[in-house]
C-alpha cells in the first residue's frame, strides 16, 4: 500500500493546510489534539484555547475540502483557589461519541475537567407564523385576517455547540486520557496516578478503578501515561506507564482494578542500556486496532504492535527515528526526550505516527514497507504527490537526504489522524493542520 | 570532541579515568560525563520546582534518572571517592546541591532559620577553601546529617513535614526569584567547565533546536545490576525526598 509508485500504492498528495503562515504563533493557537469522527466525514481539531471543528463539505463524487465548521470555546482558564494556581484551558484530549441522532456529541478535557458537548446543525427555520413577524415581534392582532400553517424553509447553516455535562473535581493530577466505552454509556478518564469511570449521564459521581498512588509519595517511581477501553469488550481496558508497561484490566474482577489481568512488557535489550533507557521506554500513546485483537504503543523511538494474547513481547516493532538514539543526551538536555507522540491505525494494516522536522511516518504491517513524508507549505499545490524523505544517520549524505544535525526539533508532529473510511489523513504541526489525500486515478 | 562509544569498564575504570585525564584534556571520562548528566538532571528538577504545578511524569522520569546515576556512583564508590581525582572540589558541590532541599527542612525541623540560597552560596565558598585531604572527612560529615535528617522524617508527622517543606520551598522560590538567572550559574561556577558549556546546557533547556555539546554522553551504559548498601539507602532517601517535594508542591 505504501510507496512512491506501483499500481496499488497510495500516493499521498497535498490537499489543504490551515493555520497561520508564519512560524511565530501565539501560544493559544497551538494545536493540541486531532480526531476524526467515526463513520462520518467530519474532523475536529482542538486548538489550545478553543475547539474548532472542520467539516468536509462533500458533494457526492468529489473529494470535498475541509472548511471550518464550527469554533467554540470548550474550556476557560480557571483558578484553583486551594492550590493557588491557574488551570490552563488547553485541551488535552477530545473524543467523539457515536452518533445517535441528528446531533453530534463529543467529550473534551483539559487538565482537570471533562465536558460533554452537543453540536447540532440548523439549516431550516419555520416561517410564516400567524401571530409573529419574521423578526419575532408580535403582530397587531387586528391585522391578522387569514390563517396559515408555518413551513420550514432553508436557511444558512448554523452550527450550535452547547455544553451538556461537566464532569469536574475528580482528578487531583493532570488528565492525560479519556476513552469512551463500547457500551456508549460510560467512559474513563485517566490522570498521572488514577483512572476514573464515569457514566455519561451522571456528573456528580465517578468510580475510581485504578489508583497507583503510593501511600508514601516518596516512593513514586511510575505514572500512568495513557488509557483506553477495548473497542469490543466493555469490561476491558488498558493503561500504559512511564516505565514502558501496559496493563490490561478486567472490571469484572474487582471494583478497584489495581491487579492487572495481563501485563505487557518487553524485556530490556542489555546492549542498548543507558541512563535514558527508562525515559525512552515511557509510553506516550496506546491505541487498540479496530478489531481489538492488537494494540499499538508509542514510545520515544518506536511503535510496537502487541497481540493481546502475548504478554512477553510485541509481535512487531517499528523504528520511527532510530537515528536519534545516539543523540539522547542532547534531546534530554533540550527536553525533546519528553515529547509525547501519538500514533494511529488505518484499520489493522497501516500505522502512522509523527516525528521531528515536520516528518511523519507510516508503516505497512503487511508489506513491511515504510515511508517518511513531510508536512510543509513548500508542497503547496493540491495534487502534488509528496516526495518521500530520508534522514541520513551517519556517513556520507546522499542527495535529498537530510542529516540528523539539520533536523528542526521545534517542528514536531505529535498528532495524526486517519479518516475512518477513506485514504485521507490529517497531520498537525505546531500551529498548522495539513490534510493529505490519496491521488485519485 | 567527545569520545563516542566509551563503554564503562567495571574494575579498571579508575585507571582508564586517570589515563584519560593524563591524556588529551578535552576528552571527558565516563565519570565526568556521568557527573554532568547528574548536574543537568538536578538543575532540571530544581527548575521544575519553580513551576507551580510541575509535569509529574517528567519529574518522576528525571528523578529516576538521578537515582540511577547515584546508585551506580555509590556502587563503584565514586560517590565518595571522586575527591581523590583532581576534580575533588566538584564532588562536594554535588553532595551539597542535592542536600540543599533536605537541609532546609531538617533545619526547619530543628527550629533554625531556613538558609535559602543565600546561605547555599556561602557554604559553597567555604567548601572551596578546603583541600582534598579534608574533603573526605567533610564528605562523611555531610553524609551524617543526611542520616540524621532521615530519622527526623520518621519521627515527625508527615503532614507537618510537608508543611515545613512547602514553607522552605517557598522561601527558596522567593530567593530564587529575587536573583538574576545567572545566579543558578553562579551556584555551579566552581565546576570545571572545560568539558562542557553550562551556558549552552542551561539555555538549551529552555529552547534549543539544535544538538547540544554533549554528544559523548549518549554512549552511556550502566551495569545491569545494582546492589543496595547503607550509603545507597541514605542517598535514596534524599531522592525520595526530592520526589516527595515535587509531587506535593
Amino acid at each position: 500500500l505504501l510507496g512512491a509508485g506501483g499500481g496499488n500504492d497510495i500516493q499521498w498528495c497535498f490537499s489543504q493546510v490551515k493555520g497561520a503562515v508564519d512560524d511565530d504563533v501565539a501560544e493559544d493557537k497551538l494545536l493540541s489534539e486531532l480526531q476524526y469522527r467515526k463513520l462520518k466525514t467530519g474532523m475536529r481539531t482542538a486548538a489550545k484555547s478553543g475547539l474548532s471543528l472542520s467539516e468536509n463539505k462533500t458533494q457526492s463524487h468529489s473529494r470535498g475540502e475541509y472548511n471550518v465548521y464550527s469554533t467554540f470555546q470548550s474550556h476557560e482558564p480557571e483558578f484553583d483557589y486551594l492550590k493557588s494556581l491557574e488551570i490552563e484551558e488547553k485541551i488535552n484530549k477530545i473524543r467523539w461519541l457515536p452518533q445517535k441522532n441528528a446531533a453530534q456529541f463529543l467529550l473534551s478535557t483539559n487538565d482537570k475537567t471533562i465536558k460533554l458537548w452537543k453540536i447540532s446543525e440548523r439549516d431550516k427555520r419555520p416561517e410564516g407564523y400567524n401571530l409573529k413577524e419574521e423578526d419575532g415581534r408580535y403582530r397587531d392582532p387586528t391585522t391578522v385576517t387569514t390563517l396559515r400553517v408555518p413551513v420550514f424553509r432553508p436557511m444558512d447553516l448554523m452550527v450550535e455547540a452547547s455544553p451538556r455535562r461537566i464532569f469536574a473535581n475528580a482528578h487531583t493530577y493532570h488528565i492525560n486520557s479519556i476513552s469512551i466505552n463500547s457500551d456508549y454509556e460510560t467512559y474513563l478518564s485517566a490522570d498521572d496516578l488514577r483512572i476514573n469511570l464515569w457514566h455519561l449521564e451522571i456528573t456528580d459521581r465517578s468510580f475510581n478503578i485504578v489508583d497507583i498512588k503510593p501511600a508514601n509519595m516518596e516512593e513514586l517511581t511510575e505514572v500512568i501515561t495513557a488509557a483506553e477501553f477495548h473497542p469490543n469488550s466493555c469490561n476491558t481496558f488498558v493503561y500504559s506507564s512511564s516505565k514502558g508497561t501496559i496493563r490490561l484490566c478486567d472490571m469484572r474482577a474487582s471494583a478497584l482494578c489495581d491487579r492487572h489481568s495481563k501485563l505487557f512488557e518487553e524485556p530490556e535489550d542489555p546492549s542498548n542500556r543507558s541512563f535514558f533507557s527508562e525515559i525512552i521506554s515511557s509510553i506516550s500513546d496506546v491505541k487498540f486496532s479496530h478489531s481489538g485483537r492488537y494494540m499499538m504503543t508509542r514510545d520515544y523511538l518506536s511503535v510496537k504492535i502487541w497481540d493481546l494474547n502475548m504478554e512477553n513481547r510485541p509481535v512487531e516493532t517499528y523504528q520511527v527515528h532510530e537515528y536519534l538514539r545516539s543523540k539522547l543526551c542532547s534531546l534530554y538536555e533540550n527536553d525533546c526526550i519528553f515529547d509525547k507522540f501519538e500514533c494511529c491505525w488505518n484499520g489493522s494494516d497501516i500505522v502512522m505516527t509523527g516525528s521531528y522536522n515536520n516528518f511523519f511516518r507510516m508503516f505497512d504491517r503487511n508489506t513491511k514497507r515504510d515511508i517518511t513524508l513531510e508536512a510543509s507549505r513548500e508542497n503547496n499545490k493540491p495534487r502534488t504527490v509528496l516526495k518521500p524523505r530520508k534522514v541520513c544517520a551517519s556517513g556520507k549524505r546522499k542527495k535529498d537526504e537530510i542529516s540528523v544535525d539539520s533536523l528542526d526539533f521545534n517542528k514536531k508532529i505529535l498528532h495524526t489522524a486517519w479518516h475512518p473510511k477513506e485514504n485521507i489523513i490529517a497531520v498537525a504541526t505546531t500551529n498548522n493542520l495539513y490534510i493529505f489525500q490519496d491521488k485519485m486515478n | 570532541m567527545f569520545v563516542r562509544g566509551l563503554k564503562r569498564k567495571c574494575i579498571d575504570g579508575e585507571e582508564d579515568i586517570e589515563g584519560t585525564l593524563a591524556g588529551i584534556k578535552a576528552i571527558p571520562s565516563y565519570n565526568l560525563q556521568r557527573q554532568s548528566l547528574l548536574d543537568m538532571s538536578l538543575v532540571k528538577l530544581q527548575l521544575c520546582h519553580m513551576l507551580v504545578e510541575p509535569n509529574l511524569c517528567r519529574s518522576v522520569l528525571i528523578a529516576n534518572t538521578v537515582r540511577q546515576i547515584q546508585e551506580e556512583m555509590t556502587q563503584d564508590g565514586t560517590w565518595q571517592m571522586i575527591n581523590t581525582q583532581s576534580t575533588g572540589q566538584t564532588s562536594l558541590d554535588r553532595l551539597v546541591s542535592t542536600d540543599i532541599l533536605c537541609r532546609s527542612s531538617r533545619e526547619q525541623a530543628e527550629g533554625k532559620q531556613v538558609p535559602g540560597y543565600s546561605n547555599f552560596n556561602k557554604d559553597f565558598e567555604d567548601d572551596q577553601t578546603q583541600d582534598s585531604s579534608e574533603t573526605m572527612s567533610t564528605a562523611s560529615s555531610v553524609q551524617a546529617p543526611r542520616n540524621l535528617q532521615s530519622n527526623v522524617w520518621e519521627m515527625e508527622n508527615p503532614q507537618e513535614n510537608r508543611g515545613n517543606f512547602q514553607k522552605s520551598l517557598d522561601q527558596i522560590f522567593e530567593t530564587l526569584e529575587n536573583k538574576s538567572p545567572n545566579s543558578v550559574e553562579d551556584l555551579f561556577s566552581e565546576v570545571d567547565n572545560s568539558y562542557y558549556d553550562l551556558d549552552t546546557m542551561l539555555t538549551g533547556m529552555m529552547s534549543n533546536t539544535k544538538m547540544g555539546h554533549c554528544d559523548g554522553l549518549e554512549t552511556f551504559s550502566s551495569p545491569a545490576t545494582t546492589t543496595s548498601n547503607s550509603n545507597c539507602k541514605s542517598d535514596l532517601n534524599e531522592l525520595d525526598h526530592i520526589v516527595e517535594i515535587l509531587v506535593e508542591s
Side-chain angles (χ1 to χ4, degrees):
Chain A
L1 267 172
L2 297 180
N8 288 332
D9 290 342
I10 299 179
Q11 293 192 336
W12 290 105
C13 306
F14 173 85
S15 176
Q16 281 176 276
V17 59
K18 295 205 174 299
V21 175
D22 48 26
D23 286 336
D24 262 340
V25 96
E27 267 272 292
D28 64 349
K29 290 286 188 297
L30 300 176
L31 283 168
S32 62
E33 171 65 319
L34 190 61
Q35 278 290 288
Y36 256 104
R37 203 167 55 192
K38 254 190 187 161
L39 306 178
K40 284 286 168 174
T41 55
M43 177 192 50
R44 123 155 317 181
T45 59
K48 189 176 183 194
S49 64
L51 198 59
S52 166
L53 256 182
S54 296
E55 176 77 48
N56 188 351
K57 289 188 166 175
T58 42
Q59 307 307 309
S60 49
H61 295 295
S62 68
R63 295 283 183 90
E65 276 204 346
Y66 282 87
N67 296 306
V68 177
Y69 176 69
S70 165
T71 303
F72 58 94
Q73 188 82 9
S74 173
H75 287 69
E76 300 278 345
E78 288 171 39
F79 195 78
D80 181 336
Y81 294 96
L82 198 64
K83 288 192 193 174
S84 266
L85 57 90
E86 177 162 316
I87 301 170
E88 277 188 43
E89 71 277 26
K90 171 171 170 276
I91 292 163
N92 296 337
K93 283 288 185 311
I94 47 180
R95 289 287 183 268
W96 287 100
L97 265 76
Q99 187 155 3
K100 285 187 280 193
N101 49 38
Q104 306 148 39
F105 288 85
L106 66 87
L107 283 177
S108 74
T109 183
N110 66 357
D111 283 339
K112 300 283 179 166
T113 305
I114 305 136
K115 289 190 185 179
L116 177 70
W117 287 88
K118 174 180 174 184
I119 294 127
S120 45
E121 285 182 12
R122 205 190 296 189
D123 60 357
K124 321 183 234 307
R125 65 158 184 244
E127 286 178 16
Y129 282 108
N130 287 290
L131 300 176
K132 282 195 287 186
E133 302 283 3
E134 294 307 328
D135 58 9
R137 283 178 304 141
Y138 279 98
R139 291 167 70 180
D140 181 356
T142 57
T143 63
V144 179
T145 54
T146 59
L147 205 60
R148 60 181 176 174
V149 177
V151 293
F152 276 98
R153 296 216 186 279
M155 60 180 251
D156 287 340
L157 181 66
M158 197 165 80
V159 179
E160 291 171 328
S162 56
R164 282 313 219 220
R165 306 267 187 281
I166 297 178
F167 305 91
N169 302 321
H171 286 280
T172 310
Y173 302 97
H174 292 177
I175 297 174
N176 55 52
S177 308
I178 47 177
S179 176
I180 297 165
N181 205 348
S182 49
D183 63 10
Y184 301 149
E185 285 184 349
T186 57
Y187 75 94
L188 63 78
S189 57
D191 65 30
D192 294 313
L193 298 179
R194 297 192 178 98
I195 302 180
N196 293 331
L197 180 71
W198 303 81
H199 192 285
L200 283 165
E201 302 289 327
I202 300 169
T203 59
D204 60 356
R205 225 177 310 154
S206 75
F207 290 101
N208 177 238
I209 52 177
V210 172
D211 188 340
I212 64 167
K213 183 175 181 208
N216 184 357
M217 278 299 268
E218 293 175 352
E219 293 162 8
L220 179 67
T221 57
E222 191 174 8
V223 300
I224 296 170
T225 52
E228 194 176 63
F229 264 118
H230 190 276
N232 303 323
S233 306
C234 58
N235 47 274
T236 306
F237 66 94
V238 295
Y239 67 93
S240 61
S241 82
S242 57
K243 286 197 174 175
T245 65
I246 308 104
R247 288 173 174 80
L248 184 142
C249 301
D250 188 333
M251 294 196 291
R252 296 170 298 190
S254 67
L256 189 62
C257 301
D258 274 356
R259 291 236 198 111
H260 53 262
S261 298
K262 295 196 187 198
L263 174 68
F264 298 85
E265 187 174 14
E266 183 170 27
E268 197 175 12
D269 176 7
S271 64
N272 267 335
R273 178 109 177 80
S274 75
F275 285 118
F276 306 107
S277 293
E278 184 184 311
I279 300 178
I280 62 169
S281 75
S282 175
I283 291 172
S284 51
D285 194 18
V286 61
K287 291 259 171 48
F288 279 105
S289 68
H290 291 17
S291 62
R293 163 103 190 262
Y294 299 99
M295 67 179 174
M296 162 167 59
T297 58
R298 176 70 157 100
D299 50 75
Y300 190 63
L301 295 181
S302 66
V303 163
K304 294 180 181 172
I305 312 289
W306 302 79
D307 185 325
L308 288 198
N309 299 317
M310 186 161 73
E311 296 169 60
N312 58 0
R313 61 178 179 80
V315 289
E316 289 145 39
T317 302
Y318 300 102
Q319 301 299 337
V320 180
H321 34 220
E322 179 70 10
Y323 46 79
L324 296 183
R325 191 180 288 274
S326 58
K327 308 285 182 188
L328 290 178
C329 183
S330 306
L331 294 164
Y332 180 72
E333 182 187 27
N334 64 17
D335 271 354
C336 283
I337 208 175
F338 300 106
D339 286 336
K340 291 189 186 296
F341 291 95
E342 291 181 2
C343 50
C344 68
W345 288 92
N346 177 23
S348 299
D349 302 316
I350 309 183
V351 298
M352 173 166 65
T353 189
S355 178
Y356 293 104
N357 210 66
N358 279 351
F359 287 172
F360 57 101
R361 305 262 282 137
M362 293 185 202
F363 302 92
D364 188 327
R365 296 182 64 206
N366 299 324
T367 66
K368 301 298 182 206
R369 281 153 70 183
D370 62 87
I371 192 169
T372 306
L373 298 171
E374 182 179 2
S376 106
R377 283 177 181 269
E378 282 167 22
N379 306 323
N380 232 342
K381 290 199 300 233
R383 306 186 149 273
T384 314
V385 177
L386 295 179
K387 196 174 72 171
R389 312 293 278 163
K390 192 142 164 51
V391 176
C392 165
S394 59
K396 203 159 155 53
R397 185 177 76 88
K398 298 196 191 81
K399 179 172 173 280
D400 287 346
E401 282 186 359
I402 298 185
S403 76
V404 182
D405 296 315
S406 324
L407 295 175
D408 188 345
F409 289 85
N410 276 339
K411 292 188 177 165
K412 50 192 91 170
I413 291 179
L414 303 176
H415 311 283
T416 59
W418 204 306
H419 193 287
K421 285 188 172 170
E422 311 202 26
N423 283 333
I424 307 176
I425 56 175
V427 165
T429 60
T430 314
N431 54 316
N432 280 310
L433 176 66
Y434 288 82
I435 318 280
F436 300 104
Q437 298 187 32
D438 183 13
K439 189 172 184 128
M440 301 246 298
N441 294 326
Chain B
M1 182 177 142
F2 289 91
V3 174
R4 289 182 184 274
L6 182 69
K7 293 266 192 239
R8 199 183 159 269
K9 292 172 199 150
C10 286
I11 299 159
D12 44 335
E14 290 212 34
E15 291 159 5
D16 280 352
I17 289 160
E18 283 164 5
T20 312
L21 285 178
I24 307 164
K25 199 86 165 105
I27 301 173
S29 68
Y30 173 84
N31 279 5
L32 283 163
Q33 291 175 2
R34 182 175 60 184
Q35 191 65 63
S36 74
L37 182 63
L38 180 64
D39 296 339
M40 196 196 307
S41 306
L42 290 170
V43 173
K44 278 186 189 291
L45 285 179
Q46 288 175 346
L47 289 175
C48 270
H49 285 181
M50 297 170 79
L51 294 177
V52 195
E53 227 183 356
N55 180 331
L56 188 62
C57 180
R58 184 170 171 272
S59 307
V60 166
L61 289 172
I62 297 173
N64 287 353
T65 308
V66 168
R67 191 180 281 121
Q68 270 184 67
I69 297 171
Q70 292 195 332
E71 275 173 15
E72 187 186 282
M73 289 172 81
T74 309
Q75 200 193 356
D76 39 285
T78 47
W79 187 245
Q80 277 162 318
M81 289 183 63
I82 283 179
N83 45 61
T84 60
Q85 301 170 19
S86 59
T87 54
Q89 299 300 337
T90 57
S91 67
L92 200 53
D93 308 340
R94 304 301 154 255
L95 296 172
V96 175
S97 65
T98 59
D99 195 40
I100 176 61
L101 297 168
C102 313
R103 188 193 295 149
S104 28
S105 88
R106 176 177 62 83
E107 294 185 7
Q108 184 84 352
E110 292 168 10
K112 289 185 195 165
Q113 270 300 94
V114 175
Y117 264 71
S118 50
N119 285 352
F120 178 73
N121 270 326
K122 195 161 69 66
D123 295 328
F124 222 90
E125 286 153 19
D126 291 341
D127 296 337
Q128 286 149 33
T129 59
Q130 294 169 7
D131 60 17
S132 49
S133 61
E134 283 182 5
T135 53
M136 267 298 250
S137 52
T138 318
S140 47
S141 71
V142 173
Q143 287 270 326
R146 241 179 276 138
N147 289 329
L148 167 69
Q149 142 244 311
S150 58
N151 292 334
V152 166
W153 288 348
E154 282 150 32
M155 285 184 332
E156 278 200 334
N157 181 351
Q159 211 53 35
E160 217 178 278
N161 214 19
R162 279 186 212 116
N164 291 340
F165 290 154
Q166 190 59 40
K167 276 182 233 154
S168 53
L169 273 174
D170 287 341
Q171 273 161 319
I172 291 174
F173 292 166
E174 221 178 305
T175 48
L176 272 178
E177 273 165 24
N178 294 336
K179 288 178 179 273
S180 68
N182 284 331
S183 65
V184 179
E185 231 179 322
D186 291 340
L187 299 175
F188 296 93
S189 60
E190 287 310 305
V191 170
D192 188 353
N193 276 336
S194 62
Y195 301 95
Y196 61 91
D197 187 356
L198 195 61
D199 277 345
T200 312
M201 188 183 90
L202 286 174
T203 53
M205 246 181 288
M206 303 305 173
S207 59
N208 197 1
T209 63
K210 300 290 178 191
M211 292 303 174
H213 293 297
C214 59
D215 300 298
L217 285 167
E218 285 87 2
T219 58
F220 273 139
S221 67
S222 65
T225 60
T226 55
T227 55
S228 61
N229 50 37
S230 59
N231 288 334
C232 186
K233 211 156 180 258
S234 62
D235 299 336
L236 290 178
N237 278 338
E238 285 167 51
L239 283 162
D240 291 341
H241 185 47
I242 291 172
V243 173
E244 190 209 4
I245 291 171
L246 286 170
V247 301
E248 291 300 331
S249 61

